[in-house]
Amino acid sequence: MAEAIVVGVDGSESATRAVRWAAAEAAARTLPLHLVIGCDPTLGFYGGGLPAPQSLFDDLDKVAARQLAEAADTAREVDSELVVTTAKHTGSPVPLMIEESRTAEMIVLGSSGRGGFTGMLAGSTAVSVAAHAESPVVVVRTRDDESVPAEGPVVVGVDGSRTSERALAAAFDEASWRKAPLVAVHSWSDVDYVGVLPVQFALLEVEPAEEEQARALTESLAGWSDKYPDVTVERVVVKDRPRHQLLHWAEQAQLVVVGSRGRGGFRGLLLGSTSQALIHHAQCPVMVVRPERAE
């Protein structure tokens, strides 16, 4: 559904939290909320490839319809004026959500679903969709007490890459809508430069100075305060692994925004180590912004 916030539904508590979060986001932006559910047809076969009876498919369809109705009720509890639409699809949830991302404002998913193994920190659907979607993907993670934070800053990881620039744009937009301060985090580590600097520089332990790193962050932020004068920006420049800093800030943030991969990623890598670490461990919702298709 074009320009809607799309939420994946599966009846789990994690998905219900995602619906509540997305409903609040849609209400603030006066956007429609589109709830979708996908059923993998391979689940309709017994061992040995024997087809399941039609009655099983009918029961699954009823379950899906009930889960969508319950999700729609949950969304309207957040805002009774919210425009909510629903859709059932036959097929794996991952390609379904990727297809939805082609026209969606954003995709919102729970951090784990009914298909996840006990103890799994992030469901395979969330990781796969974040790696391939065209729109931003939000994985709704929680604090240790399973609450979804509604206060605190919006935090964005900045490394100067083109994907990071798109993440920065999304972060300013989110901070403005939420009337929240923005924390722009730029961090680096010796290890980050071993693979990109000539060997002789690595041996001499030469690395960009902190002043250079601060200048790089300033350049990345140039112009954004003019576009979003209502957003207060705090700049953080620190020598540390980016994932460590962003996980630290996530403990007090209401949203963390990152690019799907940064300067340290191998070309063609769909999801970098920093974004994966946040999807698995952050204590607040995580927005992953993918590069444009041509990049």
Side-chain angles (χ1 to χ4, degrees):
M1 185 173 181
E3 297 184 353
I5 293 178
V6 179
V7 190
V9 175
D10 65 6
S12 67
E13 180 57 36
S14 179
T16 299
R17 285 192 290 264
V19 169
R20 292 194 188 99
W21 187 93
E25 185 85 357
R29 295 172 178 251
T30 61
L31 290 174
L33 187 71
H34 188 48
L35 309 175
V36 299
I37 191 168
C39 298
D40 191 336
T42 60
L43 297 177
F45 290 84
Y46 292 126
L50 296 176
Q54 182 61 42
S55 60
L56 178 58
F57 287 96
D58 294 340
D59 289 342
L60 289 173
D61 189 68
K62 292 177 182 177
V63 169
R66 186 186 73 246
Q67 290 174 346
L68 281 174
E70 292 173 349
D73 289 342
T74 297
R76 293 189 180 99
E77 289 173 0
V78 176
D79 188 331
S80 60
E81 302 297 320
L82 191 63
V83 176
V84 182
T85 58
T86 63
K88 292 181 295 178
H89 296 271
T90 299
S92 173
V94 172
L96 166 62
M97 300 310 295
I98 292 172
E99 180 62 30
E100 291 283 353
S101 77
R102 301 184 192 283
T103 56
E105 181 76 11
M106 72 174 70
I107 297 293
V108 181
L109 300 168
S111 57
S112 60
R114 292 198 178 279
F117 295 99
T118 300
M120 182 179 287
L121 295 173
S124 58
T125 297
V127 174
S128 297
V129 174
H132 295 276
E134 295 189 17
S135 68
V137 174
V138 175
V139 179
V140 180
R141 293 196 53 79
T142 68
R143 299 283 198 247
D144 287 335
D145 62 1
E146 296 190 348
S147 65
V148 180
E151 298 182 350
V154 172
V155 176
V156 59
V158 182
D159 66 7
S161 66
R162 294 180 68 183
T163 307
S164 170
E165 292 173 3
R166 296 195 73 201
L168 194 57
F172 266 98
D173 196 44
E174 287 293 329
S176 180
W177 278 107
R178 296 164 183 276
K179 297 179 172 54
L182 178 69
V183 178
V185 179
H186 177 78
S187 61
W188 79 100
S189 169
D190 296 347
V191 178
D192 296 335
Y193 295 95
V194 171
V196 295
L197 290 177
V199 174
Q200 59 268 33
F201 283 93
L203 294 175
L204 291 173
E205 298 184 354
V206 174
E207 65 178 31
E210 184 172 348
E211 292 78 8
E212 183 180 343
Q213 300 290 345
R215 185 165 55 252
L217 178 57
T218 298
E219 292 173 354
S220 294
L221 292 172
W224 286 109
S225 292
D226 293 335
K227 186 175 181 180
Y228 293 94
D230 58 318
V231 177
T232 302
V233 181
E234 178 180 351
R235 305 180 185 193
V236 177
V237 179
V238 61
K239 183 179 177 181
D240 192 10
R241 297 303 295 268
R243 74 191 72 171
H244 295 162
Q245 279 296 307
L246 291 172
L247 285 170
H248 166 71
W249 279 98
E251 295 175 1
Q252 53 188 293
Q254 60 175 292
L255 178 70
V256 172
V257 184
V258 290
S260 57
R261 66 177 188 272
R263 289 195 180 279
F266 294 101
R267 184 171 181 82
L269 188 66
L270 294 175
L271 204 60
S273 60
T274 298
S275 52
Q276 288 199 52
L278 288 164
I279 288 175
H280 284 86
H281 299 287
Q283 292 199 33
C284 71
V286 177
M287 175 182 285
V288 179
V289 181
R290 292 267 301 145
E292 294 182 11
R293 189 182 300 182
E295 294 183 34

